[in-house]
Every structure is written in structure tokens, then in C-alpha cells.
């Protein structure tokens, strides 16, 4: 368990100071990604892990022990008056059920990506949180790190002029080469867009603002994939969802982003994200990471690396919740802070829209709207 309240580190460089208080956190879903959250929770005194729950109680107890907290059932965690907010690390199709139960118990929620398994569930979660007046936050929080935030600072200070377009590219050979049970990546609800898209689309919205309309095209030209590791190595999987997706996102500003999300390449040297403006072009580092080099080219096209100019310097998984806390979301205004559920839902609707456009051939209007989250000034935390 981390230390007591009032321990927010001092910030420098004019970074805004959030309220000095500690948040008692319960974690639901003690699987693969919980280890990265534990590291953050063990380091940040402001997030105080008090309970861990999972359908598998032994797993919950193990993770709880590593975090100095109590392992328990989901029901016990939600009934605990000590828990103020839930970090929801369950699988996507359980996000809605578990988040709604936490909201009904009066807890704030911070849920991993994708926000929900369906847009309808996402709307239900957001409406329930709003009605209950509790915080509803959403991953990914990689965009709060120095990589995307340095790019954001460059856009905001006019270094590339007015942004007109962006290209986001994620091309890999697919996770079956290393993942022993990769079935879900090739079934509806999986695929490269829903798996990796949240990082890219959240970054594009952070840089260029909300999206109003999408179009898309998608394919699954390899109908079988072969498991490359583990006890099932050599077993063939059939593919029932697109494994290569392209989309165009029309932002409210008029800028257009092109998205390529694919498990059908061998490798790629394309920058994860490029943004082109009236005065220059910029490359943005891997949005699945918190840090990385931002480069811009102006005038004669010489690329230069920018100095780090924004973001949480020590950001890691869980900073989205810390940012909500530091911004005051838990002190009466759940709308404060950047990693808002409204953004998570908007990102989900954009991705679902691209898939639906690819299926029907028609463009899709995006009904949800999320404000472009405010920039994170350079912050040593
Ligand atoms: N694994 C990664 O690298 C990674 C990275 C970033 C984000 N994520 C996201 O984190 C979330 C969890 O991913 P993971 O890889 O840790 O999955 P996982 O399958 O390893 O773990 C999920 C855990 O949730 C538990 N669980 C499922 N339904 C539950 C329910 N109704 N109540 C309580 N517990 C329940 C499972 O028992 C399991 O222990 C997903 O939303 C995923 O997209 C994962």
C-alpha cells in the first residue's frame, strides 16, 4: 500500500498543481496488464491501492499481495466503503458489466481500452456515470506522456502551421507468431483496429480534435493464420474479422487523417503517425508508448528532433487516473482531467464507424463528440 495523503511531488516548469489528496483505488481484473498498473500504483503515493478482485480469486490475491492490498471478490470490492475508484482491467466484453456495477456502487471508474465492446454499451456506461455524478475515465493514457504531448505542444505553438492532414500506420505480421492463444485477434471484436486503434485514434484526436465522419475499406485476404508458439504451435486459425483496415477520419477542423491498421504486413518503416500542416510536417512516436522522439521538417525539409516540451515525464499505465485526480475530477467536477470516458467512447465510435463503413461502403457520421483534451504541460511527475 502506498503512503498517505498530501504527498504530491512538487512540479516545476509551471505545471499546474492538482489538489493534494490521495485516492483509494480498487483494481478489478488481475491479468496480463495488471503488472504494469501495479508498478505505477506502487510508485505514485497519490494512488493508494486498497483492494484487488478477479473472477479468479487466487489471481486477485497474488496481485493484491504484490501491491500491499487485499485480494477479494468483485462483490466485496464494490461493497468496500474504502474504495473510491475502480481501475477496470477486465477483458473488453466485461468492461460494461463491471463498470456499471462499480458506478451503481458509487465508485468512480477508469477502464482500459477499448472503452466497451460495443458503442451502445459505451453510451450506457457514460450515461450511468453522469447520472450518478461519478468519474468515468478511459485508457489509453500513453497520450499523456512526453511523446504525443511534445507533438501536441508543437501543434499548439504553430510549429507546423495549421494541421491539414495526418497519416497513422500500424502494420505488423500479426500476434499469432508470439501469442500462444491468438484466436480472439481474428474474431469479431478483435482485429488490428480495435486492438491497436485506440492508441492511434486517441492521439489523432489529441492532435487534430474530434472526428465528425469516417469512411473505410477492409480486407481479410489471408483466411487462415498459423499459431507460432506454445502448445498449440502449428494449429491453424480461421479468420472471421478484417485483418487489414484503412480509414479516413474527417475531423471537425476539416483536417483529414488516414488510418492503416494491419496484421497483414511483414514489417513497416512508416512513422507511426505523421502530421502535415501549412508550415511543416511532423512525425510522432509510437502512441502505444509514453515517450519517444518528435521530429519536424520545415522550409527545405530538413528533419529536426524537438526538445521534450510537454507531458508527464514518468508516465506509465495508470497516469490517466492520476491525471483525473490531479486535475480535480474527484473533488466535485468529474468532467475535469483528460482521460475522460467521453473521449474513450468517441474513439470507440470512430473505430466502429470505420468498420461499419468498410462493410457497407457508405460514410458514417459520428454522433458522439469529445472535446480535444487540454495539453499536458511538461510535468516531472
Ligand atoms: N495485455 C496487454 O498488453 C494490454 C495492453 C494495454 C491494454 N490492455 C487492456 O487491458 C484489459 C485487460 O487485458 P489483459 O491482457 O490484462 O487481459 P487478461 O485476459 O490477461 O486479464 C483479464 C482479467 O480479467 C478477469 N476478468 C474477466 N472478466 C471479469 C469479470 N467480469 N469480473 C472480474 N474479473 C474479470 C480475468 O479473470 C482476467 O484475470 C483489456 O481491456 C485490454 O485491451 C491490455
Amino acid at each position: 500500500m502506498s503512503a498517505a495523503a498530501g504527498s504530491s511531488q512538487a512540479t516545476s516548469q509551471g505545471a499546474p498543481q492538482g489538489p493534494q489528496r490521495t485516492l483509494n483505488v480498487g483494481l478489478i481484473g488481475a491479468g496480463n496488464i495488471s503488472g504494469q498498473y501495479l508498478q505505477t500504483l506502487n510508485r505514485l503515493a497519490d494512488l493508494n491501492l486498497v483492494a484487488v478482485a478477479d473472477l479468479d480469486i487466487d489471481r486477485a490475491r497474488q496481485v493484491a499481495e504484490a501491491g500491499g492490498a487485499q485480494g477479494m471478490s468483485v462483490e466485496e470490492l464494490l461493497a468496500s466503503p474504502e474504495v473510491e475508484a475502480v481501475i477496470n482491467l477486465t477483458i473488453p466484453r466485461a468492461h460494461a458489466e463491471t463498470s456499471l456495477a462499480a458506478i451503481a456502487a458509487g465508485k468512480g471508474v477508469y477502464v482500459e481500452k477499448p472503452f466497451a465492446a460495443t458503442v451502445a454499451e459505451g453510451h450506457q456506461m457514460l450515461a450511468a456515470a453522469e447520472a450518478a455524478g461519478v468519474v468515468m475515465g478511459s485508457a489509453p493514457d500513453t497520450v499523456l506522456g512526453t511523446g504525443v504531448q511534445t507533438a501536441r505542444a508543437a501543434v499548439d505553438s504553430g510549429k507546423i502551421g495549421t494541421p491539414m492532414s495526418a497519416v497513422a500506420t500500424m502494420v505488423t505480421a500479426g500476434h499469432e507468431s508470439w501469442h500462444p492463444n491468438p484466436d480472439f485477434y481474428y474474431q469479431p471484436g478483435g482485429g488490428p483496429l480495435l486492438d491497436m486503434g485506440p492508441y492511434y485514434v486517441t492521439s489523432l484526436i489529441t492532435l487534430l480534435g474530434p472526428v465528425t465522419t469516417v469512411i473505410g475499406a477492409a480486407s481479410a485476404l489471408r483466411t487462415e493464420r498459423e499459431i507460432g508458439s506454445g502448445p498449440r504451435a502449428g494449429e491453424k486459425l480461421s479468420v472471421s474479422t478484417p485483418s487489414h483496415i484503412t480509414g479516413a477520419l474527417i475531423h471537425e477542423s476539416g483536417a483529414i487523417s488516414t488510418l492503416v491498421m494491419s496484421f497483414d504486413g511483414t514489417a513497416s518503416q512508416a512513422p507511426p503517425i505523421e502530421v502535415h500542416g501549412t508550415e511543416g510536417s511532423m512525425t510522432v512516436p509510437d502512441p502505444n508508448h509514453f515517450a519517444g522522439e518528435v521530429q519536424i521538417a520545415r522550409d527545405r525539409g530538413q528533419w529536426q528532433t524537438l526538445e521534450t516540451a510537454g507531458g508527464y515525464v514518468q508516465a506509465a499505465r495508470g497516469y490517466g487516473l492520476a491525471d483525473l485526480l490531479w486535475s480535480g475530477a474527484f473533488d466535485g467536477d468529474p468532467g475535469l482531467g483528460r482521460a475522460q470516458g467521453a473521449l474513450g467512447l468517441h474513439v470507440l465510435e470512430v473505430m466502429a464507424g470505420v468498420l461499419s463503413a468498410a462493410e457497407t461502403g457508405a460514410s458514417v457520421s459520428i454522433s458522439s463528440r469529445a472535446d480535444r483534451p487540454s495539453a499536458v504541460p511538461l510535468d516531472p511527475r
Side-chain angles (χ1 to χ4, degrees):
M1 198 179 289
S2 41
S7 50
S8 290
Q9 297 92 330
T11 61
S12 64
Q13 331 234 8
Q17 273 278 21
Q20 307 284 300
R21 62 102 105 203
T22 297
L23 186 72
N24 285 334
V25 174
L27 192 154
I28 303 183
N32 205 296
I33 201 64
S34 64
Q36 289 191 32
Y37 276 85
L38 260 196
Q39 287 179 14
T40 304
L41 293 165
N42 286 340
R43 175 160 61 80
L44 288 181
D46 300 348
L47 297 180
N48 185 30
L49 183 67
V50 295
V52 179
D54 196 290
L55 290 177
D56 180 336
I57 188 80
D58 290 335
R59 209 177 285 170
R61 290 203 180 107
Q62 271 173 24
V63 171
E65 195 181 330
Q70 295 281 314
M72 57 186 72
S73 69
V74 174
E75 293 69 30
E76 285 168 324
L77 186 149
L78 295 181
S80 163
E82 219 187 340
V83 173
E84 295 173 90
V86 165
I87 295 180
N88 188 343
L89 307 183
T90 59
I91 51 173
R93 68 168 182 276
H95 284 181
E97 176 200 334
T98 42
S99 297
L100 288 168
I103 292 165
K107 318 293 186 196
V109 179
Y110 178 79
V111 66
E112 249 304 340
K113 61 81 192 165
F115 188 60
T118 66
V119 172
E121 283 178 0
H123 277 291
Q124 216 188 334
M125 286 155 61
L126 206 58
E130 271 167 19
V134 300
V135 172
M136 180 73 246
S138 173
D141 50 9
T142 45
V143 295
L144 305 181
T146 53
V148 171
Q149 288 297 326
T150 294
R152 170 62 185 265
V155 169
D156 289 356
S157 62
K159 283 196 166 57
I160 59 165
T162 304
M164 297 182 295
S165 67
V167 183
T169 310
M170 196 290 304
V171 178
T172 70
H175 299 324
E176 71 276 17
S177 59
W178 57 271
H179 198 299
N181 292 302
D183 312 59
F184 71 96
Y185 289 118
Y186 297 101
Q187 294 163 359
L193 179 60
L194 293 176
D195 179 46
M196 295 301 287
Y199 301 107
Y200 292 81
V201 176
T202 307
S203 300
L204 292 169
I205 291 168
T206 296
L207 296 170
L208 303 176
V211 173
T212 57
T213 311
V214 300
I215 57 175
S219 62
L221 295 182
R222 294 160 66 193
T223 53
E224 277 192 339
R225 317 287 294 213
E226 186 174 320
I227 301 180
S229 72
R232 297 170 63 202
E235 192 182 315
K236 299 269 199 306
L237 299 177
S238 59
V239 175
S240 55
T241 199
S243 49
H244 179 94
I245 296 133
T246 60
L249 319 182
I250 301 164
H251 295 263
E252 209 174 82
S253 68
I256 295 177
S257 294
T258 307
L259 201 61
V260 180
M261 299 281 125
S262 183
F263 288 154
D264 282 334
T266 297
S268 171
Q269 296 202 65
I273 299 175
E274 276 186 344
V275 184
H276 305 286
T278 50
E279 310 292 325
S281 293
M282 175 173 72
T283 61
V284 182
D286 187 342
N288 186 21
H289 296 157
F290 291 86
E293 265 188 8
V294 177
Q295 295 197 318
I296 66 165
R298 292 165 54 97
D299 306 326
R300 265 174 252 111
Q302 300 287 346
W303 288 97
Q304 300 174 351
T305 301
L306 294 182
E307 273 185 34
T308 302
Y312 290 110
V313 171
Q314 301 179 63
R317 291 195 203 273
Y319 265 61
L321 179 61
D323 176 77
L324 291 166
L325 174 68
W326 293 333
S327 302
F330 287 92
D331 297 296
D333 186 350
L336 294 173
R338 296 160 179 105
Q340 286 288 337
L343 178 59
L345 174 61
H346 185 55
V347 168
L348 176 65
E349 201 189 342
V350 167
M351 297 189 301
V354 169
L355 288 171
S356 154
E359 230 176 273
T360 62
S363 67
V364 171
S365 295
I366 303 301
S367 65
S368 66
R369 189 186 177 285
D371 285 329
R372 184 180 181 230
S374 63
V376 182
L378 189 59
D379 188 319
R381 288 179 289 192

